[in-house]
Amino acid sequence: TAAAWIEAQKVEGLTLEIVRLAGRTPVLFFEIAASVGTTSDTATVSSQTVLMYGHLDKQPEFTGWRNDLGPWTPKYEDRKLYGRGGADDGYAVYASIAAVQALKSQGAAHPRIVGLIEACEESGSYDLLPYVDALRAPGNNRLGDVALVICLDSGAGNYDQLWLTTSLRGMASGTLKVEVLTEGIHSGDASGLVPSSFRIMRQVLD
C-alpha cells in the first residue's frame, strides 16, 4: 500500500524499489534525482545525498489481539483508538514524499534524495544494517555520499503544530551528583557562604 501510494504521487525524478534480502523483512527504497530548481535562486546543488529514514509501522504485526481487534484495522471503542500505527511512525513515507513535493512545487533546488523505509523497526531493526550494507556495497553504492540523515521517527506534543527533534539518537546519559555540604543548612544561615549546588551543576553541564 505504501509503495503504491508513492508511485501514485508521480514525483518528478523519483524511482522506487521494494528491496528484498533472503530471510529478512523488505525495505522501500526510493531515489529522487537532484534538481537545480526553477526559481531565480542561484543556490548550488550539492553532489551529496540526503537520506530520509523511517519505518512501516505495524510490521511485524505480532499476535495477541482480541478477536474483534487487530493491527491492520483501526477501531474506536469507548473513545479510544485500537490499532498499531495510530500514533507511531505510520507517517514516515507520507511525510518524506510530501516534503519533496513541497520543494518541487516551489521550484526549489535540492540535492539527490534517497528514502529507506524499513519493516523491522518494531522488532528491533535487526534487518536494517544488512540492508544498509547491501545498498552501499563497494562498486554499487546506491546510498551515495550521505551528508544528512533525516530520521522520520519521533514524538509530537500535540496535533496543532509541527514538531522537530534535533537529537533523538546518540544521547549520552549519566548520573551527576553535586555535594557542597555534609549536612543540611538552612539557606538563611548559609546563603552566600555555601555555594549553590544547582549553580555548580549548571556550570558543569554547560
Side-chain angles (χ1 to χ4, degrees), residues 50-128:
V50 172
L51 169 64
M52 291 183 166
Y53 162 82
H55 69 269
L56 294 174
D57 200 33
K58 304 182 290 294
Q59 298 189 45
E61 67 275 15
F62 297 121
T63 58
W65 293 87
R66 233 170 52 194
N67 289 336
D68 59 334
L69 297 176
W72 307 107
T73 305
K75 180 179 180 179
Y76 280 107
E77 184 177 296
D78 296 329
R79 300 183 67 183
K80 296 178 181 177
L81 175 64
Y82 292 83
R84 292 277 296 279
D88 194 3
D89 198 38
Y91 68 88
V93 168
Y94 310 104
S96 57
I97 298 301
V100 173
Q101 290 285 55
L103 287 175
K104 291 189 174 295
S105 69
Q106 297 174 59
H110 65 78
R112 176 177 177 265
I113 299 171
V114 297
L116 180 59
I117 311 296
E118 63 160 320
C120 184
E121 195 268 355
E122 304 296 351
S123 293
S125 295
Y126 50 81
D127 286 342
L128 178 59

Side-chain angles (χ1 to χ4, degrees), residues 15-172:
T15 58
L16 171 69
E17 179 183 353
I18 300 177
V19 182
R20 300 179 186 274
L21 295 178
R24 299 193 179 277
T25 54
V27 300
L28 292 179
F29 181 78
F30 62 81
E31 178 180 352
I32 303 166
S35 171
V36 296
T38 58
T39 66
S40 58
D41 185 5
T42 58
T44 302
V45 176
S46 170
S47 61
Q48 295 178 308
T49 296
V50 172
L51 169 64
M52 291 183 166
Y53 162 82
H55 69 269
L56 294 174
D57 200 33
K58 304 182 290 294
Q59 298 189 45
E61 67 275 15
F62 297 121
T63 58
W65 293 87
R66 233 170 52 194
N67 289 336
D68 59 334
L69 297 176
W72 307 107
T73 305
K75 180 179 180 179
Y76 280 107
E77 184 177 296
D78 296 329
R79 300 183 67 183
K80 296 178 181 177
L81 175 64
Y82 292 83
R84 292 277 296 279
D88 194 3
D89 198 38
Y91 68 88
V93 168
Y94 310 104
S96 57
I97 298 301
V100 173
Q101 290 285 55
L103 287 175
K104 291 189 174 295
S105 69
Q106 297 174 59
H110 65 78
R112 176 177 177 265
I113 299 171
V114 297
L116 180 59
I117 311 296
E118 63 160 320
C120 184
E121 195 268 355
E122 304 296 351
S123 293
S125 295
Y126 50 81
D127 286 342
L128 178 59
L129 287 181
Y131 276 107
V132 171
D133 290 340
L135 290 169
R136 65 177 184 182
N140 187 30
N141 185 357
R142 300 178 64 185
L143 295 183
D145 181 12
V146 177
L148 173 66
V149 176
I150 300 174
C151 179
L152 294 157
D153 183 6
S154 186
N158 57 43
Y159 293 102
D160 302 322
Q161 64 202 59
L162 179 66
W163 289 72
L164 176 67
T165 304
T166 58
S167 57
L168 178 65
R169 301 289 189 261
M171 179 184 69

